[in-house]
PDB file of all heavy atoms in Angstrom:
ATOM      1  N   LEU A 202    -142.754-200.896 149.272  1.00  0.00           N
ATOM      2  CA  LEU A 202    -142.060-202.158 149.438  1.00  0.00           C
ATOM      3  C   LEU A 202    -140.648-201.914 149.956  1.00  0.00           C
ATOM      4  O   LEU A 202    -139.978-200.972 149.538  1.00  0.00           O
ATOM      5  CB  LEU A 202    -141.986-202.923 148.120  1.00  0.00           C
ATOM      6  CG  LEU A 202    -143.303-203.101 147.352  1.00  0.00           C
ATOM      7  CD1 LEU A 202    -143.039-203.770 146.014  1.00  0.00           C
ATOM      8  CD2 LEU A 202    -144.291-203.914 148.170  1.00  0.00           C
ATOM      9  N   SER A 203    -140.199-202.756 150.855  1.00  0.00           N
ATOM     10  CA  SER A 203    -138.831-202.656 151.368  1.00  0.00           C
ATOM     11  C   SER A 203    -138.504-203.964 152.071  1.00  0.00           C
ATOM     12  O   SER A 203    -139.211-204.967 151.893  1.00  0.00           O
ATOM     13  CB  SER A 203    -138.689-201.464 152.319  1.00  0.00           C
ATOM     14  OG  SER A 203    -137.344-201.267 152.693  1.00  0.00           O
ATOM     15  N   GLN A 204    -137.447-203.970 152.872  1.00  0.00           N
ATOM     16  CA  GLN A 204    -137.070-205.115 153.680  1.00  0.00           C
ATOM     17  C   GLN A 204    -136.696-204.623 155.066  1.00  0.00           C
ATOM     18  O   GLN A 204    -136.366-203.443 155.259  1.00  0.00           O
ATOM     19  CB  GLN A 204    -135.869-205.846 153.075  1.00  0.00           C
ATOM     20  CG  GLN A 204    -136.131-206.455 151.730  1.00  0.00           C
ATOM     21  CD  GLN A 204    -134.909-207.121 151.145  1.00  0.00           C
ATOM     22  OE1 GLN A 204    -134.574-208.240 151.503  1.00  0.00           O
ATOM     23  NE2 GLN A 204    -134.246-206.449 150.229  1.00  0.00           N
ATOM     24  N   ASP A 205    -136.737-205.523 156.054  1.00  0.00           N
ATOM     25  CA  ASP A 205    -136.197-205.176 157.356  1.00  0.00           C
ATOM     26  C   ASP A 205    -134.746-205.644 157.420  1.00  0.00           C
ATOM     27  O   ASP A 205    -134.197-206.197 156.460  1.00  0.00           O
ATOM     28  CB  ASP A 205    -137.056-205.737 158.501  1.00  0.00           C
ATOM     29  CG  ASP A 205    -137.055-207.267 158.549  1.00  0.00           C
ATOM     30  OD1 ASP A 205    -136.174-207.899 157.935  1.00  0.00           O
ATOM     31  OD2 ASP A 205    -137.935-207.842 159.225  1.00  0.00           O
ATOM     32  N   GLY A 206    -134.109-205.421 158.553  1.00  0.00           N
ATOM     33  CA  GLY A 206    -132.694-205.732 158.680  1.00  0.00           C
ATOM     34  C   GLY A 206    -132.374-207.209 158.614  1.00  0.00           C
ATOM     35  O   GLY A 206    -131.216-207.589 158.406  1.00  0.00           O
ATOM     36  N   SER A 207    -133.378-208.079 158.754  1.00  0.00           N
ATOM     37  CA  SER A 207    -133.169-209.515 158.660  1.00  0.00           C
ATOM     38  C   SER A 207    -133.462-210.070 157.278  1.00  0.00           C
ATOM     39  O   SER A 207    -133.369-211.281 157.062  1.00  0.00           O
ATOM     40  CB  SER A 207    -134.059-210.234 159.697  1.00  0.00           C
ATOM     41  OG  SER A 207    -133.739-209.824 160.996  1.00  0.00           O
ATOM     42  N   GLY A 208    -133.844-209.195 156.349  1.00  0.00           N
ATOM     43  CA  GLY A 208    -134.140-209.638 154.997  1.00  0.00           C
ATOM     44  C   GLY A 208    -135.568-210.079 154.797  1.00  0.00           C
ATOM     45  O   GLY A 208    -135.902-210.632 153.740  1.00  0.00           O
ATOM     46  N   ASN A 209    -136.448-209.856 155.784  1.00  0.00           N
ATOM     47  CA  ASN A 209    -137.867-210.110 155.574  1.00  0.00           C
ATOM     48  C   ASN A 209    -138.440-209.020 154.683  1.00  0.00           C
ATOM     49  O   ASN A 209    -138.064-207.848 154.781  1.00  0.00           O
ATOM     50  CB  ASN A 209    -138.618-210.131 156.907  1.00  0.00           C
ATOM     51  CG  ASN A 209    -138.202-211.283 157.792  1.00  0.00           C
ATOM     52  OD1 ASN A 209    -138.206-212.423 157.382  1.00  0.00           O
ATOM     53  ND2 ASN A 209    -137.845-210.971 159.023  1.00  0.00           N
ATOM     54  N   LEU A 210    -139.376-209.383 153.827  1.00  0.00           N
ATOM     55  CA  LEU A 210    -140.029-208.434 152.939  1.00  0.00           C
ATOM     56  C   LEU A 210    -141.033-207.604 153.732  1.00  0.00           C
ATOM     57  O   LEU A 210    -141.784-208.135 154.562  1.00  0.00           O
ATOM     58  CB  LEU A 210    -140.735-209.175 151.809  1.00  0.00           C
ATOM     59  CG  LEU A 210    -141.557-208.330 150.834  1.00  0.00           C
ATOM     60  CD1 LEU A 210    -140.646-207.430 149.997  1.00  0.00           C
ATOM     61  CD2 LEU A 210    -142.393-209.237 149.925  1.00  0.00           C
ATOM     62  N   LEU A 211    -141.070-206.303 153.474  1.00  0.00           N
ATOM     63  CA  LEU A 211    -142.056-205.405 154.065  1.00  0.00           C
ATOM     64  C   LEU A 211    -143.009-204.931 152.975  1.00  0.00           C
ATOM     65  O   LEU A 211    -142.579-204.449 151.922  1.00  0.00           O
ATOM     66  CB  LEU A 211    -141.392-204.191 154.701  1.00  0.00           C
ATOM     67  CG  LEU A 211    -140.394-204.458 155.832  1.00  0.00           C
ATOM     68  CD1 LEU A 211    -139.745-203.144 156.288  1.00  0.00           C
ATOM     69  CD2 LEU A 211    -141.081-205.138 157.013  1.00  0.00           C
ATOM     70  N   VAL A 212    -144.300-205.094 153.206  1.00  0.00           N
ATOM     71  CA  VAL A 212    -145.323-204.679 152.251  1.00  0.00           C
ATOM     72  C   VAL A 212    -146.292-203.765 152.970  1.00  0.00           C
ATOM     73  O   VAL A 212    -146.908-204.162 153.967  1.00  0.00           O
ATOM     74  CB  VAL A 212    -146.083-205.890 151.670  1.00  0.00           C
ATOM     75  CG1 VAL A 212    -147.129-205.414 150.667  1.00  0.00           C
ATOM     76  CG2 VAL A 212    -145.121-206.865 151.020  1.00  0.00           C
ATOM     77  N   CYS A 213    -146.427-202.537 152.491  1.00  0.00           N
ATOM     78  CA  CYS A 213    -147.355-201.588 153.093  1.00  0.00           C
ATOM     79  C   CYS A 213    -148.322-201.126 152.005  1.00  0.00           C
ATOM     80  O   CYS A 213    -147.903-200.581 150.988  1.00  0.00           O
ATOM     81  CB  CYS A 213    -146.607-200.391 153.671  1.00  0.00           C
ATOM     82  SG  CYS A 213    -147.671-199.148 154.457  1.00  0.00           S
TER      83      CYS A 213
END
Side-chain angles (χ1 to χ4, degrees):
L202 309 175
S203 187
Q204 296 178 80
D205 65 17
S207 299
N209 294 307
L210 176 68
L211 300 176
V212 181
C213 180

